[in-house]
Amino acid sequence: MAGTTLASNNNNYTEWMATSWLSKSVPLSRNYAYGVLYRGIELAYNKTKSPEFLDFVESQLSGVVNDSGELINYNLSDKISLDDLRIGTNFLSAWAATGQEKFKSGADTLRRQIDVTPRNEGGGLWHRYPTYPNQMWLDGIYMSTNFYALYTAWFDADNSTAWDDIMRQYDLIEEHCLRKDGLLVHGFDYSKAAVWADPETGAAPLVWSRALGWYFMALVDILDYFPKSHPGWNTSLKRFRNLAQALKRTQDKSGGWWLIMNEPYPSDPRNYIESSGSAMFTYGFLKGMRKGFLERKDYSQAADRGYKLLLNRFVGKNDNGTLNWEGTVEVGSLSSNGTFEYYISVPVVQNDVKGAGPFMYASDELEAY
């Protein structure tokens, strides 16, 4: 636990939280949530070059892809889910760090999955087949397009059809989910058949903070991979800036963001400040400023308030020096009826990787740069 002691003494929360997770029981899983956690631990490795972090990620990923590069328990006849693509960026990072071809092969398989994923009539990838026909969720944009873009940038950079296809996913989301206040609802159904779908747009009714957090992170991260020569780069930058403005306007005085963000729900006593979405928005502000996409004079105060809230309300410390992560809602799904009552009924849990991971992303932006 030397890494924990060093991290705690210096208040370096990236590696402190990462080391804390090394002491917890983390299952071997390709589930997107663990990919989010592994990215945080990758950042701790990039910052410190401590081998314990790379060894952990390598061991975890080796538990889901065999030595021949075949994904374990991978069967597209059961379901085809965009969530499964999130781990692809971890495979590529592990391949770059270790040179082990099995990780590249795992990423190759996930890239082929994109080509067989069903699409709605607009060309949008279904969030999951066969469960959510014709539906696109903000969650799925983060899970799919950042891997799609990174893979294309590294191995197929001249494929203009792929770049256009990536932008098509964002274009559809913006067309159907963007509200007049600059926020985006959780998702939409192109067929308008879902119980929650607006009869004209197909849009879900509510702005769920974590879904919007996924989308905000997707917008800022994809600028790392997208070619600046493609018009999609400037389009993505404009969308990121517009959403940042809307998020700054809707930030609570506490520094966080409400579970359900659109009016009239922030004033509902059953609503609450949720940690994963708050961490994602804070990360987006911090990275946006570092990359020069956002003006520091306009966003530094909002980012500072957001990060202080994360530390003061959602980071818990154990007697053994490790950290816990608090205040993350377990799930939010459009398999529901999409109502406010549904979202607030979902339990809030401790040590949810969907919040701990983005907290490490935000911490790394503050500490490593």
Side-chain angles (χ1 to χ4, degrees):
M1 301 303 291
T4 301
T5 303
L6 176 65
S8 62
N9 287 343
N10 290 280
N11 284 338
N12 290 324
Y13 283 95
T14 309
E15 56 264 43
W16 194 357
M17 184 63 80
T19 306
S20 298
W21 275 96
L22 267 57
S23 71
K24 301 181 192 297
S25 177
V26 181
L28 299 175
S29 174
R30 286 186 291 106
N31 181 278
Y32 72 92
Y34 296 101
V36 171
L37 174 70
Y38 301 156
R39 175 58 181 161
I41 296 173
E42 289 167 14
L43 292 173
Y45 171 71
N46 293 342
K47 179 185 172 190
T48 66
K49 298 305 178 184
S50 176
E52 64 178 342
F53 297 127
L54 182 59
D55 290 347
F56 174 81
V57 173
E58 180 185 341
S59 175
Q60 291 294 118
L61 295 179
S62 294
V64 299
V65 59
N66 65 27
D67 290 339
S68 300
E70 299 170 334
L71 299 182
I72 296 171
N73 295 325
Y74 181 75
N75 186 350
L76 291 183
S77 63
D78 293 337
K79 67 178 177 67
I80 304 176
S81 176
L82 296 189
D83 286 344
D84 291 341
L85 300 178
R86 174 60 189 84
I87 201 79
T89 58
N90 305 103
F91 285 147
L92 291 178
S93 295
W95 171 70
T98 70
Q100 294 187 47
E101 286 299 319
K102 65 181 180 181
F103 297 133
K104 169 63 163 55
S105 297
D108 291 341
T109 298
L110 295 177
R111 174 59 187 87
R112 289 191 295 270
Q113 177 178 317
I114 295 172
D115 295 334
V116 300
T117 298
R119 294 170 181 255
N120 59 40
E121 291 182 9
L125 297 163
W126 287 15
H127 187 70
R128 183 178 299 163
Y129 170 86
T131 319
Y132 307 122
N134 295 295
Q135 294 181 25
M136 298 182 71
W137 302 4
L138 301 185
D139 321 38
I141 294 294
Y142 178 77
M143 306 308 162
S144 62
T145 62
N146 290 88
F147 166 65
Y148 194 176
L150 178 60
Y151 190 98
T152 303
W154 282 12
F155 306 111
D156 201 13
D158 294 331
N159 188 342
S160 59
T161 300
W163 294 120
D164 291 346
D165 188 36
I166 292 168
M167 282 309 302
R168 183 180 300 115
Q169 310 309 307
Y170 286 87
D171 291 344
L172 286 164
I173 285 288
E174 292 277 335
E175 177 185 352
H176 292 270
C177 296
L178 182 64
R179 294 163 41 95
K180 291 181 180 179
D181 61 5
L183 303 175
L184 293 93
V185 298
H186 191 165
F188 78 96
D189 179 356
Y190 199 95
S191 68
K192 306 178 181 65
V195 64
W196 44 256
D198 182 277
E200 293 185 8
T201 66
L206 300 179
V207 179
W208 179 48
S209 58
R210 183 156 73 230
L212 192 56
W214 293 129
Y215 189 66
F216 193 50
M217 293 199 301
L219 284 171
V220 72
D221 287 351
I222 205 168
L223 293 170
D224 292 340
Y225 319 132
F226 222 86
K228 288 188 177 181
S229 58
H230 192 287
W233 194 91
N234 283 322
T235 299
S236 297
L237 177 60
K238 181 179 179 180
R239 288 169 174 166
F240 172 70
R241 286 172 168 166
N242 288 342
L243 182 51
Q245 290 176 358
L247 292 172
K248 183 181 175 183
R249 289 194 299 268
T250 53
Q251 186 179 29
D252 181 64
K253 62 182 180 181
S254 67
W257 284 264
W258 296 95
L259 177 77
I260 298 300
M261 297 172 58
N262 55 292
E263 295 294 343
Y265 299 105
S267 61
D268 192 301
R270 298 169 294 172
N271 206 353
Y272 57 89
I273 300 296
E274 198 275 335
S275 67
S276 65
S278 296
M280 292 171 181
F281 299 145
T282 302
Y283 162 70
F285 284 170
L286 290 167
K287 182 172 182 178
M289 289 189 294
R290 175 175 66 83
K291 299 284 287 188
F293 304 148
L294 301 176
E295 293 287 342
R296 289 187 177 273
K297 62 182 178 63
D298 296 329
Y299 287 92
S300 60
Q301 184 178 9
D304 184 61
R305 289 171 58 212
Y307 193 77
K308 285 180 177 176
L309 174 84
L310 302 179
L311 289 184
N312 293 334
R313 186 179 298 189
F314 299 124
V315 174
K317 298 176 182 177
N318 297 312
D319 291 341
N320 65 359
T322 62
L323 300 177
N324 289 326
W325 179 255
E326 311 286 352
T328 291
V329 68
E330 188 172 31
V331 72
S333 174
L334 288 174
S335 64
S336 68
N337 58 12
T339 63
F340 176 70
E341 286 71 22
Y342 159 72
Y343 285 102
I344 62 168
S345 73
V346 179
V348 172
V349 296
Q350 184 184 65
N351 287 328
D352 192 300
V353 292
K354 299 182 290 296
F359 171 72
M360 286 187 275
Y361 306 175
S363 298
D364 182 67
E365 288 295 331
L366 279 179
E367 299 160 3
Y369 298 100

